Amino acid sequence: MKRALITGITGQDGSYLADLLLEKGYEVHGIIRRASTFNTARIDHLYADPHINGVRMFLHYGDLSDSVNLVKLLYELKPNEIYHLAAQSHVRVSFDIPEYTSDVTGIGTIRILEAIREAGSRSRFYQASSSEMFGKAQQVPQSESTPFWPRSPYGVAKVFSYWATVNYRESYGLCASNGILFNHESPRRGETFVTRKISRAVAAIKHGLQHELFLGNLDAKRDWGYAPEYVEGMWRILQHEEGDDFVLATGEAHSVRELAEAAFSHVDLDWKQYVKHDPRYERPAEVDLLVGDASKAKKILGWEPKVRFHDLVRIMVDADMELLSREAPRQHLGKLP
C-alpha cells in the first residue's frame, strides 16, 4: 500500500486529492493546523464509512513554520509521495500580509525540502506552483519555458518555491516536481475567491437573500479548469519516473465579466442589474491575461482537461443553488460575501 502525505489537505485541492488517493488504495496522511474551531468540512465525508476510508486516512497537527515537526513526521511516516499544497493562497490578501505570505508560501517549501533531505527520505515530492508566477506574461500562451514575472507577494513566493524545488532536485537528486497549475475551481472553492464569490452570490440573489455583488477588475482574463481533474494531474506528475515541471491548463481564457454573465444567465438573471464595481477588490499590480499551454502534460502524462468553462460555471452555480435550498436561509445571511 502506497503512503501519501498531503499538506493543505483541508483545502479545495487537498480534499479532492485525498478522495482520489483513497480510491486508488493509498494510505493518506494530512497535516492540519491546530485551531479552536473545526476546519475539516471538505474532508469530513471521508470519515462517513470508517471501514472504507477512515482506517486509511490520518490527520496530524503541524505547521509549515515548524521545521522540527516536519522532520519528525517524515521520520515516522516515510511516505512514498508528498504533495505540498498548503499556502496562503489568496492573491489579493497577499498584498495585505506579504511577510506572512512569504514565510508560509515561500519559506515553508524550503522547510519541507530540508525535512526530506534531513530524514533521508526517498519520497517523491510535488510542489503546487501557480500560473500567478507568470504575472505580467511575456508570451501567450504560457508554457514551462515562459519567463516568470510575478505581480504579487503570492506570485513572488511561488516563484521562490518553484526554484527551490528545482534546486533541490538538481543539488540533492530529489525526485521533486512542480505542477504549474492555472486557475482550477469547484463547489469546494473558498468563498472569497472570485469564482465561488460569483456562484454563491448568484444563488443568494436568486433565492432573494442578496441584492448586489461587488467585484474588482472585470477585464482580467484567466484560464479556468475543474479542480478534480487537476488533482488527477498532480498524481500523474508523481507517477512520472523523474522529477520534472508541468503546466496544467485548459488553453482557454475568459474574463471575470464573462464568468459573471454566464453564472447569472444560468439562472435567467441579467448580471448587469446586480454586479457593481468596488475598487477595494482591485490589486495594486494587476495580472491581465493568463492562459496555459499544457501540451507537455498531454504528451508525457496523457493528461488533458474535459470540463470546459461553461460546464464549470454550471457545476458551481448548481451546487450553490442546491446548498442554499437545503439549508435555512437565515444561516446564510451572516455568511454571504
mmCIF file of all heavy atoms in Angstrom, residues 65-98:
data_model
loop_
_atom_site.group_PDB
_atom_site.id
_atom_site.type_symbol
_atom_site.label_atom_id
_atom_site.label_comp_id
_atom_site.label_asym_id
_atom_site.label_seq_id
_atom_site.Cartn_x
_atom_site.Cartn_y
_atom_site.Cartn_z
ATOM 1 N N SER A 65 5.572 26.480 9.536
ATOM 2 C CA SER A 65 6.589 27.273 10.233
ATOM 3 C C SER A 65 7.378 26.437 11.233
ATOM 4 O O SER A 65 8.326 26.931 11.841
ATOM 5 C CB SER A 65 5.928 28.450 10.964
ATOM 6 O OG SER A 65 5.052 27.974 11.977
ATOM 7 N N ASP A 66 7.006 25.159 11.388
ATOM 8 C CA ASP A 66 7.630 24.281 12.398
ATOM 9 C C ASP A 66 8.433 23.193 11.699
ATOM 10 O O ASP A 66 7.939 22.095 11.421
ATOM 11 C CB ASP A 66 6.527 23.673 13.278
ATOM 12 C CG ASP A 66 7.075 22.878 14.457
ATOM 13 O OD1 ASP A 66 8.299 22.656 14.512
ATOM 14 O OD2 ASP A 66 6.268 22.477 15.313
ATOM 15 N N SER A 67 9.704 23.481 11.424
ATOM 16 C CA SER A 67 10.525 22.541 10.668
ATOM 17 C C SER A 67 10.843 21.275 11.460
ATOM 18 O O SER A 67 10.943 20.185 10.888
ATOM 19 C CB SER A 67 11.826 23.218 10.223
ATOM 20 O OG SER A 67 12.523 23.749 11.331
ATOM 21 N N VAL A 68 10.969 21.402 12.773
ATOM 22 C CA VAL A 68 11.282 20.220 13.593
ATOM 23 C C VAL A 68 10.156 19.199 13.492
ATOM 24 O O VAL A 68 10.399 17.994 13.328
ATOM 25 C CB VAL A 68 11.512 20.629 15.064
ATOM 26 C CG1 VAL A 68 11.664 19.388 15.940
ATOM 27 C CG2 VAL A 68 12.740 21.512 15.183
ATOM 28 N N ASN A 69 8.919 19.661 13.567
ATOM 29 C CA ASN A 69 7.783 18.752 13.469
ATOM 30 C C ASN A 69 7.720 18.088 12.098
ATOM 31 O O ASN A 69 7.366 16.909 11.978
ATOM 32 C CB ASN A 69 6.480 19.514 13.737
ATOM 33 C CG ASN A 69 5.272 18.596 13.747
ATOM 34 O OD1 ASN A 69 5.181 17.667 14.536
ATOM 35 N ND2 ASN A 69 4.337 18.847 12.836
ATOM 36 N N LEU A 70 8.077 18.824 11.042
ATOM 37 C CA LEU A 70 8.074 18.247 9.698
ATOM 38 C C LEU A 70 9.084 17.112 9.591
ATOM 39 O O LEU A 70 8.790 16.056 9.016
ATOM 40 C CB LEU A 70 8.387 19.334 8.660
ATOM 41 C CG LEU A 70 7.329 20.434 8.483
ATOM 42 C CD1 LEU A 70 7.847 21.526 7.552
ATOM 43 C CD2 LEU A 70 6.022 19.853 7.938
ATOM 44 N N VAL A 71 10.268 17.316 10.157
ATOM 45 C CA VAL A 71 11.289 16.267 10.131
ATOM 46 C C VAL A 71 10.801 15.038 10.897
ATOM 47 O O VAL A 71 10.935 13.894 10.433
ATOM 48 C CB VAL A 71 12.616 16.777 10.726
ATOM 49 C CG1 VAL A 71 13.618 15.634 10.867
ATOM 50 C CG2 VAL A 71 13.205 17.878 9.846
ATOM 51 N N LYS A 72 10.223 15.246 12.066
ATOM 52 C CA LYS A 72 9.713 14.135 12.875
ATOM 53 C C LYS A 72 8.644 13.348 12.122
ATOM 54 O O LYS A 72 8.631 12.111 12.140
ATOM 55 C CB LYS A 72 9.158 14.661 14.198
ATOM 56 C CG LYS A 72 10.227 15.141 15.179
ATOM 57 C CD LYS A 72 9.617 15.892 16.350
ATOM 58 C CE LYS A 72 8.691 15.019 17.177
ATOM 59 N NZ LYS A 72 8.134 15.767 18.339
ATOM 60 N N LEU A 73 7.742 14.068 11.431
ATOM 61 C CA LEU A 73 6.681 13.397 10.670
ATOM 62 C C LEU A 73 7.269 12.525 9.566
ATOM 63 O O LEU A 73 6.815 11.394 9.337
ATOM 64 C CB LEU A 73 5.726 14.428 10.070
ATOM 65 C CG LEU A 73 4.514 14.837 10.892
ATOM 66 C CD1 LEU A 73 3.725 15.926 10.172
ATOM 67 C CD2 LEU A 73 3.608 13.648 11.178
ATOM 68 N N LEU A 74 8.263 13.042 8.859
ATOM 69 C CA LEU A 74 8.841 12.269 7.763
ATOM 70 C C LEU A 74 9.601 11.051 8.278
ATOM 71 O O LEU A 74 9.547 9.981 7.662
ATOM 72 C CB LEU A 74 9.753 13.160 6.921
ATOM 73 C CG LEU A 74 9.051 14.261 6.121
ATOM 74 C CD1 LEU A 74 10.030 14.937 5.175
ATOM 75 C CD2 LEU A 74 7.878 13.711 5.325
ATOM 76 N N TYR A 75 10.291 11.190 9.387
ATOM 77 C CA TYR A 75 10.956 10.029 10.001
ATOM 78 C C TYR A 75 9.931 8.957 10.379
ATOM 79 O O TYR A 75 10.141 7.758 10.203
ATOM 80 C CB TYR A 75 11.720 10.453 11.250
ATOM 81 C CG TYR A 75 13.158 10.854 11.004
ATOM 82 C CD1 TYR A 75 13.602 12.125 11.339
ATOM 83 C CD2 TYR A 75 14.073 9.954 10.449
ATOM 84 C CE1 TYR A 75 14.928 12.503 11.123
ATOM 85 C CE2 TYR A 75 15.396 10.312 10.230
ATOM 86 C CZ TYR A 75 15.818 11.590 10.564
ATOM 87 O OH TYR A 75 17.122 11.945 10.348
ATOM 88 N N GLU A 76 8.789 9.419 10.908
ATOM 89 C CA GLU A 76 7.758 8.493 11.384
ATOM 90 C C GLU A 76 6.975 7.849 10.246
ATOM 91 O O GLU A 76 6.745 6.630 10.240
ATOM 92 C CB GLU A 76 6.794 9.245 12.302
ATOM 93 C CG GLU A 76 5.611 8.412 12.795
ATOM 94 C CD GLU A 76 4.574 9.245 13.534
ATOM 95 O OE1 GLU A 76 4.912 10.375 13.961
ATOM 96 O OE2 GLU A 76 3.435 8.779 13.680
ATOM 97 N N LEU A 77 6.577 8.651 9.272
ATOM 98 C CA LEU A 77 5.643 8.169 8.240
ATOM 99 C C LEU A 77 6.340 7.508 7.064
ATOM 100 O O LEU A 77 5.792 6.596 6.445
ATOM 101 C CB LEU A 77 4.779 9.332 7.734
ATOM 102 C CG LEU A 77 3.883 10.017 8.767
ATOM 103 C CD1 LEU A 77 3.124 11.165 8.127
ATOM 104 C CD2 LEU A 77 2.897 9.020 9.379
ATOM 105 N N LYS A 78 7.512 8.020 6.678
ATOM 106 C CA LYS A 78 8.225 7.522 5.493
ATOM 107 C C LYS A 78 7.279 7.420 4.282
ATOM 108 O O LYS A 78 7.099 6.347 3.699
ATOM 109 C CB LYS A 78 8.868 6.163 5.786
ATOM 110 C CG LYS A 78 9.931 6.210 6.868
ATOM 111 C CD LYS A 78 10.524 4.826 7.135
ATOM 112 C CE LYS A 78 11.690 4.904 8.113
ATOM 113 N NZ LYS A 78 11.315 5.473 9.422
ATOM 114 N N PRO A 79 6.671 8.544 3.883
ATOM 115 C CA PRO A 79 5.706 8.499 2.783
ATOM 116 C C PRO A 79 6.377 8.228 1.440
ATOM 117 O O PRO A 79 7.526 8.627 1.211
ATOM 118 C CB PRO A 79 5.089 9.904 2.803
ATOM 119 C CG PRO A 79 6.159 10.765 3.397
ATOM 120 C CD PRO A 79 6.853 9.907 4.419
ATOM 121 N N ASN A 80 5.656 7.550 0.564
ATOM 122 C CA ASN A 80 6.139 7.352 -0.810
ATOM 123 C C ASN A 80 6.016 8.629 -1.628
ATOM 124 O O ASN A 80 6.853 8.897 -2.498
ATOM 125 C CB ASN A 80 5.344 6.241 -1.501
ATOM 126 C CG ASN A 80 5.396 4.929 -0.751
ATOM 127 O OD1 ASN A 80 4.484 4.603 -0.005
ATOM 128 N ND2 ASN A 80 6.482 4.178 -0.924
ATOM 129 N N GLU A 81 4.961 9.382 -1.340
ATOM 130 C CA GLU A 81 4.700 10.603 -2.097
ATOM 131 C C GLU A 81 4.314 11.730 -1.139
ATOM 132 O O GLU A 81 3.572 11.502 -0.173
ATOM 133 C CB GLU A 81 3.563 10.379 -3.111
ATOM 134 C CG GLU A 81 3.892 9.311 -4.146
ATOM 135 C CD GLU A 81 2.695 8.897 -4.996
ATOM 136 O OE1 GLU A 81 1.610 9.490 -4.853
ATOM 137 O OE2 GLU A 81 2.860 7.963 -5.815
ATOM 138 N N ILE A 82 4.811 12.932 -1.419
ATOM 139 C CA ILE A 82 4.456 14.118 -0.640
ATOM 140 C C ILE A 82 3.871 15.152 -1.587
ATOM 141 O O ILE A 82 4.516 15.531 -2.581
ATOM 142 C CB ILE A 82 5.687 14.708 0.078
ATOM 143 C CG1 ILE A 82 6.277 13.686 1.050
ATOM 144 C CG2 ILE A 82 5.314 15.998 0.808
ATOM 145 C CD1 ILE A 82 7.601 14.132 1.658
ATOM 146 N N TYR A 83 2.667 15.581 -1.290
ATOM 147 C CA TYR A 83 2.002 16.613 -2.085
ATOM 148 C C TYR A 83 1.943 17.889 -1.251
ATOM 149 O O TYR A 83 1.206 17.956 -0.262
ATOM 150 C CB TYR A 83 0.595 16.162 -2.469
ATOM 151 C CG TYR A 83 0.560 14.955 -3.376
ATOM 152 C CD1 TYR A 83 0.579 13.665 -2.853
ATOM 153 C CD2 TYR A 83 0.505 15.101 -4.759
ATOM 154 C CE1 TYR A 83 0.551 12.548 -3.670
ATOM 155 C CE2 TYR A 83 0.470 13.989 -5.593
ATOM 156 C CZ TYR A 83 0.492 12.725 -5.046
ATOM 157 O OH TYR A 83 0.460 11.614 -5.874
ATOM 158 N N HIS A 84 2.725 18.880 -1.653
ATOM 159 C CA HIS A 84 2.804 20.126 -0.881
ATOM 160 C C HIS A 84 1.843 21.156 -1.486
ATOM 161 O O HIS A 84 2.168 21.844 -2.459
ATOM 162 C CB HIS A 84 4.230 20.654 -0.878
ATOM 163 C CG HIS A 84 4.381 21.958 -0.158
ATOM 164 N ND1 HIS A 84 3.684 22.243 0.998
ATOM 165 C CD2 HIS A 84 5.132 23.059 -0.439
ATOM 166 C CE1 HIS A 84 4.005 23.467 1.395
ATOM 167 N NE2 HIS A 84 4.871 23.976 0.540
ATOM 168 N N LEU A 85 0.651 21.241 -0.883
ATOM 169 C CA LEU A 85 -0.398 22.127 -1.390
ATOM 170 C C LEU A 85 -0.662 23.309 -0.464
ATOM 171 O O LEU A 85 -1.316 24.275 -0.868
ATOM 172 C CB LEU A 85 -1.706 21.342 -1.569
ATOM 173 C CG LEU A 85 -1.619 19.994 -2.295
ATOM 174 C CD1 LEU A 85 -3.016 19.392 -2.437
ATOM 175 C CD2 LEU A 85 -0.965 20.145 -3.659
ATOM 176 N N ALA A 86 -0.196 23.251 0.771
ATOM 177 C CA ALA A 86 -0.523 24.289 1.745
ATOM 178 C C ALA A 86 0.147 25.609 1.386
ATOM 179 O O ALA A 86 1.292 25.641 0.930
ATOM 180 C CB ALA A 86 -0.077 23.846 3.143
ATOM 181 N N ALA A 87 -0.591 26.703 1.602
ATOM 182 C CA ALA A 87 -0.065 28.042 1.326
ATOM 183 C C ALA A 87 -1.057 29.076 1.821
ATOM 184 O O ALA A 87 -2.223 28.758 2.081
ATOM 185 C CB ALA A 87 0.171 28.233 -0.176
ATOM 186 N N GLN A 88 -0.597 30.313 1.947
ATOM 187 C CA GLN A 88 -1.519 31.448 1.997
ATOM 188 C C GLN A 88 -1.809 31.735 0.540
ATOM 189 O O GLN A 88 -0.994 32.315 -0.171
ATOM 190 C CB GLN A 88 -0.865 32.662 2.682
ATOM 191 C CG GLN A 88 -1.851 33.789 3.025
ATOM 192 C CD GLN A 88 -2.572 34.389 1.833
ATOM 193 O OE1 GLN A 88 -3.746 34.066 1.584
ATOM 194 N NE2 GLN A 88 -1.914 35.240 1.077
ATOM 195 N N SER A 89 -2.973 31.313 0.066
ATOM 196 C CA SER A 89 -3.193 31.206 -1.371
ATOM 197 C C SER A 89 -4.062 32.302 -1.982
ATOM 198 O O SER A 89 -4.376 32.237 -3.170
ATOM 199 C CB SER A 89 -3.828 29.844 -1.688
ATOM 200 O OG SER A 89 -5.053 29.707 -0.990
ATOM 201 N N HIS A 90 -4.455 33.305 -1.203
ATOM 202 C CA HIS A 90 -5.290 34.364 -1.756
ATOM 203 C C HIS A 90 -4.397 35.495 -2.258
ATOM 204 O O HIS A 90 -3.693 36.144 -1.479
ATOM 205 C CB HIS A 90 -6.271 34.883 -0.702
ATOM 206 C CG HIS A 90 -7.421 35.630 -1.285
ATOM 207 N ND1 HIS A 90 -7.288 36.881 -1.848
ATOM 208 C CD2 HIS A 90 -8.739 35.307 -1.398
ATOM 209 C CE1 HIS A 90 -8.462 37.299 -2.274
ATOM 210 N NE2 HIS A 90 -9.356 36.359 -2.025
ATOM 211 N N VAL A 91 -4.440 35.737 -3.573
ATOM 212 C CA VAL A 91 -3.524 36.693 -4.189
ATOM 213 C C VAL A 91 -3.742 38.105 -3.658
ATOM 214 O O VAL A 91 -2.791 38.796 -3.280
ATOM 215 C CB VAL A 91 -3.667 36.667 -5.724
ATOM 216 C CG1 VAL A 91 -2.731 37.702 -6.354
ATOM 217 C CG2 VAL A 91 -3.357 35.276 -6.267
ATOM 218 N N ARG A 92 -4.993 38.556 -3.615
ATOM 219 C CA ARG A 92 -5.253 39.923 -3.151
ATOM 220 C C ARG A 92 -4.833 40.102 -1.688
ATOM 221 O O ARG A 92 -4.242 41.118 -1.323
ATOM 222 C CB ARG A 92 -6.746 40.262 -3.319
ATOM 223 C CG ARG A 92 -7.124 41.663 -2.794
ATOM 224 C CD ARG A 92 -6.387 42.748 -3.562
ATOM 225 N NE ARG A 92 -6.560 44.066 -2.980
ATOM 226 C CZ ARG A 92 -5.843 44.553 -1.975
ATOM 227 N NH1 ARG A 92 -4.886 43.814 -1.407
ATOM 228 N NH2 ARG A 92 -6.049 45.770 -1.534
ATOM 229 N N VAL A 93 -5.095 39.114 -0.868
ATOM 230 C CA VAL A 93 -4.741 39.191 0.551
ATOM 231 C C VAL A 93 -3.221 39.226 0.735
ATOM 232 O O VAL A 93 -2.720 39.802 1.703
ATOM 233 C CB VAL A 93 -5.367 38.010 1.322
ATOM 234 C CG1 VAL A 93 -4.848 37.934 2.751
ATOM 235 C CG2 VAL A 93 -6.892 38.133 1.326
ATOM 236 N N SER A 94 -2.486 38.652 -0.203
ATOM 237 C CA SER A 94 -1.025 38.625 -0.049
ATOM 238 C C SER A 94 -0.428 40.027 -0.052
ATOM 239 O O SER A 94 0.662 40.242 0.496
ATOM 240 C CB SER A 94 -0.381 37.772 -1.153
ATOM 241 O OG SER A 94 -0.363 38.435 -2.406
ATOM 242 N N PHE A 95 -1.127 40.994 -0.651
ATOM 243 C CA PHE A 95 -0.657 42.378 -0.586
ATOM 244 C C PHE A 95 -0.823 42.957 0.816
ATOM 245 O O PHE A 95 -0.082 43.852 1.220
ATOM 246 C CB PHE A 95 -1.429 43.247 -1.587
ATOM 247 C CG PHE A 95 -1.031 43.033 -3.023
ATOM 248 C CD1 PHE A 95 -1.782 42.208 -3.844
ATOM 249 C CD2 PHE A 95 0.093 43.659 -3.545
ATOM 250 C CE1 PHE A 95 -1.419 42.013 -5.178
ATOM 251 C CE2 PHE A 95 0.461 43.460 -4.868
ATOM 252 C CZ PHE A 95 -0.290 42.635 -5.692
ATOM 253 N N ASP A 96 -1.801 42.454 1.556
ATOM 254 C CA ASP A 96 -2.054 42.938 2.916
ATOM 255 C C ASP A 96 -1.140 42.274 3.943
ATOM 256 O O ASP A 96 -0.805 42.879 4.963
ATOM 257 C CB ASP A 96 -3.522 42.688 3.300
ATOM 258 C CG ASP A 96 -4.488 43.393 2.361
ATOM 259 O OD1 ASP A 96 -4.177 44.521 1.932
ATOM 260 O OD2 ASP A 96 -5.552 42.808 2.063
ATOM 261 N N ILE A 97 -0.771 41.015 3.685
ATOM 262 C CA ILE A 97 0.100 40.286 4.623
ATOM 263 C C ILE A 97 1.279 39.667 3.851
ATOM 264 O O ILE A 97 1.432 38.449 3.794
ATOM 265 C CB ILE A 97 -0.693 39.202 5.396
ATOM 266 C CG1 ILE A 97 -1.550 38.335 4.441
ATOM 267 C CG2 ILE A 97 -1.571 39.839 6.455
ATOM 268 C CD1 ILE A 97 -2.199 37.152 5.154
ATOM 269 N N PRO A 98 2.122 40.511 3.273
ATOM 270 C CA PRO A 98 3.208 39.993 2.429
ATOM 271 C C PRO A 98 4.250 39.179 3.184
ATOM 272 O O PRO A 98 4.773 38.197 2.657
ATOM 273 C CB PRO A 98 3.827 41.265 1.827
ATOM 274 C CG PRO A 98 3.479 42.357 2.797
ATOM 275 C CD PRO A 98 2.118 41.986 3.326
#
